[in-house]
Amino acid sequence: DIWLATYGTLKKGCNNYNLHLANSKYMGSGTTQEMYPLIIKDLPYLIEDIGNGFQIEVDVFKISKPVLERIDELEIHPTWYKRKQIPILLNGNTVTCWIYFSMTESIGSNTLHKTYTQELNSNYLGESFLSLQAKTNHESIPESAIKDLGKQ
């Protein structure tokens, strides 16, 4: 079995979960055993800097090799994110899971987070909005329409 810990758009209920993990076995929510910095700049980035930040909230899945290969492609492993195995606390046990660390971001002056929640104004909605804007010859779209898009 391949165990995967997710902290961002692959978490249960988020966009990439629906695309890549909906058919995988959800094992539950846990946290990283060690503290790590998690920054959010439209998308979440976990930085491999042990002891700095928080124990990060993760969703844990058992996945197949083909699913892992698809997620490696999604995360542009090992260039954009690098996959590594770390200990995860899950239901009173410690399990070793693959997790993706950012290879392009640094902490800098960014706020550190404990968890990621996909918001209405996420990058995905932004892309949909830009696409919709392009189709309407760059006419402005009312704020209420954008809010309604997110409720679907």
Side-chain angles (χ1 to χ4, degrees), residues 63-106:
I63 63 172
S64 65
K65 187 161 177 53
V67 168
L68 182 66
E69 290 168 354
R70 282 198 318 267
I71 294 172
D72 278 351
E73 288 177 20
L74 171 73
E75 303 293 9
I76 313 173
H77 166 73
T79 308
W80 190 260
Y81 288 91
K82 186 170 185 173
R83 178 169 43 87
K84 290 193 164 190
Q85 288 186 306
I86 65 166
I88 299 292
L89 304 176
L90 178 69
N91 304 324
N93 298 305
T94 302
V95 295
T96 300
C97 297
W98 290 106
I99 198 163
Y100 291 86
F101 288 103
S102 173
M103 299 303 293
T104 61
E105 295 294 329
S106 60

Side-chain angles (χ1 to χ4, degrees), residues 86-147:
I86 65 166
I88 299 292
L89 304 176
L90 178 69
N91 304 324
N93 298 305
T94 302
V95 295
T96 300
C97 297
W98 290 106
I99 198 163
Y100 291 86
F101 288 103
S102 173
M103 299 303 293
T104 61
E105 295 294 329
S106 60
I107 300 168
S109 61
N110 292 293
T111 301
L112 302 184
H113 299 268
K114 183 176 185 170
T115 192
Y116 170 79
T117 305
Q118 200 164 50
E119 299 291 337
L120 174 63
N121 64 350
S122 73
N123 192 35
Y124 294 97
L125 184 57
E127 289 171 2
S128 298
F129 174 69
L130 291 175
S131 173
L132 186 56
Q133 227 181 9
K135 289 178 184 172
T136 59
N137 295 324
H138 302 286
E139 296 172 9
S140 66
I141 297 172
E143 194 70 27
S144 61
I146 296 168
K147 289 178 183 167

Side-chain angles (χ1 to χ4, degrees), residues 4-8 10-12 26-34 36 38 46 54-61 86-91 95 97-100 114-116:
L4 177 70
T6 64
Y7 58 86
L10 286 163
K11 283 174 70 176
K12 194 169 184 182
Y26 174 69
M27 302 305 293
S29 292
T31 63
T32 57
Q33 181 175 300
E34 304 291 339
Y36 293 96
L38 173 66
L46 188 63
F54 300 96
Q55 286 179 287
I56 304 303
E57 295 176 9
V58 295
D59 284 348
V60 177
F61 299 88
I86 65 166
I88 299 292
L89 304 176
L90 178 69
N91 304 324
V95 295
C97 297
W98 290 106
I99 198 163
Y100 291 86
K114 183 176 185 170
T115 192
Y116 170 79

